Amino acid sequence: MVKPWKFLLCQMAMNMFYHVVKASLCLGGHDIFAAVRENSPTGQFIANLNIKGDPGANSIRLCLTGENSNWFFLDGQTIRLNSSSTRPLDRESQGSVIMAALSCYEEDTVQSQYRIMVEILNENDNMPVFMEETIQPIYISELALVNTVVFTVKAKDLDGDTITYVIDQASPDASYFRIDLPNSGKVVLDKPLDYESKNQLEVDIYAVEMNTREKNNVTAMLTVNVLDGDDQYPFFLPCAPISKDQVHSICTNPVYTSNITEDEEDVILNFAPGPIHAEDGDKELQEPLFYTILSGDDHGRFIIDNQTGEIMLTMRVENRLLSPLYRLRIMAAQKNDPRKFTVATALVHVQAENRFPPHFNRTTYKGFVIENSSPATLVATYGNQVLLVQAIDQDFKDGVNPRLVYSLQPNTKLYHITPEGVLVAKTDHLQAFDRHIMEVVAMDQESGEITHATVDVEVLQKGQPVPRSQFGEERLFGEMDAKIAGGIAGVIVIIVLAALFVLVQLLRRRHDRQDPVDRGSVALGKHPNVEVTSPPPTRRRS
Ligand SMILES: *[C@@H]1O[C@H](CO)[C@@H](O)[C@H](O)[C@H]1NC(C)=O
Ligand SMILES: *[C@@H]1O[C@H](CO)[C@@H](O)[C@H](O)[C@H]1NC(C)=O
Ligand SMILES: *[C@@H]1O[C@H](CO)[C@@H](O)[C@H](O)[C@H]1NC(C)=O
Ligand SMILES: *[C@@H]1O[C@H](CO)[C@@H](O)[C@H](O)[C@H]1NC(C)=O
Ligand SMILES: *[C@@H]1O[C@H](CO)[C@@H](O)[C@H](O)[C@H]1NC(C)=O
């Protein structure tokens, strides 16, 4: 820094005139070129003047002038540093040179003038400082390429020291970055970013003096915000996550299902487990998608709204037995990049028309069963008729929906209900005077519709008559009527047939080895029961 050299007189600047007096006491001095360390203490020696006279004793007077003159004071002929604890000599704020002029007066006349130039020697009294604008929060796309420079930091050191930049490996996300050229401050991406798993990173960077003994350093904490890039594919909702990793929506696409009937046409289909809908996996971007049917539209029978994903049935299904199921492949793709797509299956079941739900024609069915030891007995109702617990479905001409399934609740081991709605009691587990109240549930396996009724079964004592009607009229029935007996035979035979069959086989084998006459009787087509029950035949009752 070259500042104009101001020859200001400390006093009497107006009448400055110059006349040399020979053998002046002011002579003998010289211009002063010296150096002093910055931060030197008050009174630090700078130079001696060496003029002939003695400023204390003779009539000469010395006067410091010039811009930096207050950095000096005179101690006889010695120039010393005028610093203080509140005003240390600082090269960084003062500049590298301080200058002044020293005038020597003799009887108020300037006799000589000397220049003072003092270089301030640098000390490492400044730390590096990051430039604020280089350590602001940074925004980087998750698609930023590895091994490219993603940002640059810069620090300054007032002492002019050379600075190197070092990533603090202990900082949370240090592993994402590296610095290849330590003096450049250029930070390179070391591994791929992923917005979906981490959208903000923190890394501490040191700026360290390289060329000093102290190797002072400062650190800056940098926040790196990761921006969402288009790196995820769309997926259909609802998402069934296939991994426990909550970060990425790794889903299996749902299989959408819908039910239609032969009657329907020009309707928008309702799908389960939700409407057909896909979303971009890049949560921030949410690129618009479009939908198409890849296959299974059956020549335009099904069309999809390419914006909403709604599927419409345009032509009715003529025969549900020929085409009970349509399987559609639905694609959702990004409008801006159709290579980013996903495919799901939609199943359309063609069902029988279902206008009426099944229903029971009474809320409570009354049943009776007479105590006995046989394993199975049909439950009767008033008048000793077989109790039929049947739901009626008016969608069917005869009221019988073949896909109705009956069940008892609570699930009991004492009773069983046949697909026809006939109640069978495990009589050997029942006791007279027991009363069982159960619920019969009928479910339409096609429509899922359900209806309920209550069954109230009383266990009667042996010989006790089954009431003829609800109103207490009684009729003695020693045995059930022929119709019931037939039904019983059917059920019982099913239950014990296997056992009987085995027995018959055993007996037949024995007969083979025994009596040819008996064998003949079998050959003649006699019912195997005859053999089983003889001798003496016992009458079975239910
Ligand atoms: C020394 O410095 C102080 C503070 O700046 C100033 O007040 C004083 O005048 C200076 N002394 C001389 C001799 O210039
Ligand atoms: C920074 O300075 C501290 C002490 O001031 C030291 O412990 C640390 O190791 C230095 N860091 C670097 C990277 O030089
Ligand atoms: C969506 O369908 C409309 C007409 O229905 C058509 O004009 C448009 O081009 C389609 N868009 C795409 C992306 O297929
Ligand atoms: C109730 O249904 C049963 C069996 O389906 C039938 O026998 C009976 O007559 C019906 N009763 C009435 C009141 O409709
Ligand atoms: C289609 O019908 C089945 C029963 O057959 C039912 O479980 C399912 O919920 C129905 N789906 C829709 C979307 O209504």
Side-chain angles (χ1 to χ4, degrees), residues 2 37 69 108-109 165 191 291 341 424 430 457 512 527:
V2 185
R37 298 196 68 82
S69 60
D108 296 340
T109 307
Y165 301 89
K191 67 178 190 190
Y291 300 88
F341 67 91
V424 180
L430 302 180
V457 182
D512 284 349
H527 197 282

Side-chain angles (χ1 to χ4, degrees), residues 86-372:
T86 54
R87 197 173 73 115
L89 181 62
D90 180 28
R91 179 185 154 107
E92 285 71 41
S93 58
Q94 193 57 45
S96 57
V97 179
I98 45 177
M99 293 186 289
L102 187 108
S103 305
C104 181
Y105 291 86
E106 221 173 333
E107 290 160 0
D108 296 340
T109 307
V110 176
Q111 292 298 331
S112 54
Q113 240 183 356
Y114 304 100
R115 285 191 291 161
I116 304 172
M117 283 184 89
V118 177
E119 189 194 355
I120 303 173
L121 299 175
N122 198 11
E123 274 208 321
N124 184 18
D125 57 350
N126 285 285
M127 304 281 284
V129 176
F130 275 103
M131 292 167 74
E132 272 304 312
E133 64 270 25
T134 69
I135 54 170
Q136 296 302 309
I138 292 154
Y139 296 85
I140 312 176
S141 164
E142 65 173 330
L143 306 180
L145 295 177
V146 173
N147 298 326
T148 58
V149 174
V150 281
F151 60 94
T152 303
V153 292
K154 201 94 203 149
K156 281 220 158 130
D157 187 298
L158 290 175
D159 299 318
D161 301 327
T162 312
I163 292 170
T164 58
Y165 301 89
V166 180
I167 288 175
D168 181 354
Q169 292 305 323
S171 58
D173 302 306
S175 61
Y176 282 89
F177 304 100
R178 65 169 202 267
I179 291 176
D180 290 342
L181 303 168
N183 294 129
S184 69
K186 288 187 162 71
V187 179
V188 174
L189 188 62
D190 200 36
K191 67 178 190 190
L193 300 171
D194 177 26
Y195 172 85
E196 283 71 26
S197 62
K198 209 158 175 31
N199 58 16
Q200 196 171 66
L201 310 175
E202 261 176 32
V203 60
D204 295 338
I205 297 183
Y206 285 104
V208 188
E209 294 173 352
M210 196 174 78
N211 56 335
T212 64
R213 193 163 33 85
E214 295 84 0
K215 304 251 184 288
N216 292 327
N217 69 54
V218 285
T219 119
M221 195 197 86
L222 273 104
T223 305
V224 178
N225 297 294
V226 182
L227 300 175
D228 202 1
D230 189 2
D231 62 343
Q232 300 291 309
Y233 279 43
F235 58 90
F236 279 98
L237 295 177
C239 159
I242 52 173
S243 68
K244 286 250 154 52
D245 170 16
Q246 289 301 304
V247 172
H248 287 99
S249 311
I250 305 167
C251 309
T252 47
N253 281 331
V255 174
Y256 296 103
T257 60
S258 180
N259 300 327
I260 59 171
T261 64
E262 286 175 353
D263 254 17
E264 288 180 276
E265 188 165 10
D266 289 331
V267 290
I268 303 234
L269 304 187
N270 282 323
F271 283 92
I276 291 179
H277 180 71
E279 265 183 15
D280 185 2
D282 297 301
K283 287 190 214 84
E284 273 321 282
L285 302 182
Q286 286 301 332
E287 290 293 346
L289 309 176
F290 70 94
Y291 300 88
T292 42
I293 299 178
L294 292 181
S295 66
D297 73 337
D298 195 22
H299 309 289
R301 188 184 301 279
F302 299 96
I303 56 171
I304 194 163
D305 183 318
N306 62 16
Q307 304 292 318
T308 64
E310 272 179 348
I311 291 184
M312 188 180 205
L313 173 69
T314 61
M315 282 178 272
R316 45 181 303 209
V317 179
E318 299 298 339
N319 187 337
R320 75 184 179 97
L321 299 177
L322 292 180
S323 38
L325 174 69
Y326 291 91
R327 183 182 291 271
L328 284 72
R329 304 274 289 157
I330 317 282
M331 181 182 79
Q334 280 182 216
K335 283 185 182 166
N336 65 346
D337 184 2
R339 289 170 306 173
K340 296 206 170 82
F341 67 91
T342 183
V343 176
T345 300
L347 301 177
V348 180
H349 295 274
V350 187
Q351 298 187 333
E353 207 189 328
N354 182 17
R355 267 174 294 170
F356 303 99
H359 69 277
F360 286 106
N361 63 2
R362 56 181 75 171
T363 53
T364 304
Y365 291 83
K366 187 75 191 168
F368 301 98
V369 56
I370 297 167
E371 182 192 21
N372 72 63

